[in-house]
Amino acid sequence: MNQKKIFSTPPGQIIRDILITLLLAGIATLTAFWFFRTVPENPANIALVYITTLVLTARFTTGYVYGILASLFGVISVNFLFTYPYFAFDFTLTGYPITFLFMLIISITISAMTSRIKLQGQILLEREKLLMEAEKEKMRANLLRSVSHDLRTPLTGIIGNSSTYLDNRDSLSDAEKNQIVSHINEDSNWLLNMVE
């Protein structure tokens, strides 16, 4: 399989991946706001929402970039939207670098795993196509061999009987001539039916 074919991403796929990433990030933010309003005493749910978004982004997009972007978006959103002081960046929060590091590790790991699984799926699909083509070619060759054999048998009879008739026309009786012509006629009709 051509490596360039596997790793080059068409522009339509890039646009699709960007839209998926933006959609999932938007849904995650709306869900996180919902958790923030309904269950304010448990902020861990918000981080889980963004981690789930990370997993889904890695699953439904191609490559590592979108998972890493989802990771960055999640960490920055949690810092900006859901930690005190609200709607302000505070990178000095205790544990913030660890949260960022682990979300980045999770996104790279999941993106690597899903990229590998997708690549293996593409390879298996290509192999399956090649096997199906080989099987079709084998069936076609067997059919041609079978038809070729079935066509040769009456042709050999026609050639043999006509040669016998031509070579021995004067020495054959009328009954023998009729029998040879009858065999030629039967083999010709059988051959015509076979071809049709």
Side-chain angles (χ1 to χ4, degrees):
M1 186 182 309
N2 188 350
Q3 292 288 3
K4 192 174 185 180
K5 181 180 173 186
I6 292 172
F7 293 111
S8 64
T9 306
Q13 180 71 36
I14 292 171
I15 292 170
R16 180 185 160 280
D17 288 346
I18 290 170
L19 290 175
I20 287 172
T21 304
L22 291 174
L23 177 69
L24 289 172
I27 291 170
T29 303
L30 291 174
T31 306
F33 269 117
W34 180 79
F35 273 120
F36 189 67
R37 298 280 184 209
T38 58
V39 193
E41 63 275 354
N42 193 0
N45 291 335
I46 294 170
L48 290 175
V49 167
Y50 283 105
I51 289 173
T52 303
T53 299
L54 234 159
V55 172
L56 292 173
T57 301
R59 165 61 182 91
F60 292 110
T61 58
T62 307
Y64 301 96
V65 175
Y66 306 101
I68 292 170
L69 289 175
S71 171
L72 291 171
F73 178 79
V75 171
I76 290 170
S77 295
V78 167
N79 183 286
F80 185 76
L81 300 172
F82 304 108
T83 55
Y84 186 81
Y86 302 112
F87 301 102
F89 289 109
D90 186 3
F91 296 108
T92 62
L93 294 172
T94 305
Y96 181 78
I98 293 172
T99 302
F100 175 76
L101 178 68
F102 277 102
M103 284 188 78
L104 191 61
I105 289 170
I106 289 169
S107 70
I108 291 171
T109 304
I110 290 172
S111 294
M113 287 180 357
T114 55
S115 294
R116 185 174 180 92
I117 289 169
K118 288 175 188 175
L119 178 62
Q120 288 174 344
Q122 287 176 339
I123 290 170
L124 287 175
L125 189 63
E126 283 292 320
R127 284 184 184 163
E128 189 175 313
K129 284 180 184 176
L130 290 174
L131 285 173
M132 287 178 65
E133 284 297 319
E135 187 64 29
K136 282 174 26 181
E137 187 60 33
K138 182 179 174 184
M139 287 174 61
R140 189 175 77 77
N142 286 342
L143 178 66
L144 286 176
R145 268 196 298 281
S146 172
V147 168
S148 173
H149 177 269
D150 288 346
L151 292 177
R152 270 194 219 116
T153 302
L155 280 174
T156 304
I158 292 169
I159 292 169
N161 284 324
S162 61
S163 294
T164 302
Y165 184 84
L166 291 173
D167 291 344
N168 302 312
R169 178 180 352 177
D170 297 332
S171 63
L172 294 172
S173 67
D174 286 342
E176 290 173 325
K177 288 179 183 177
N178 283 338
Q179 186 179 10
I180 290 174
V181 171
S182 175
H183 285 302
I184 291 173
N185 186 35
E186 288 172 11
D187 285 343
S188 298
N189 284 326
W190 191 88
L191 186 60
L192 179 65
N193 289 332
M194 177 64 141
V195 169
E196 287 176 354

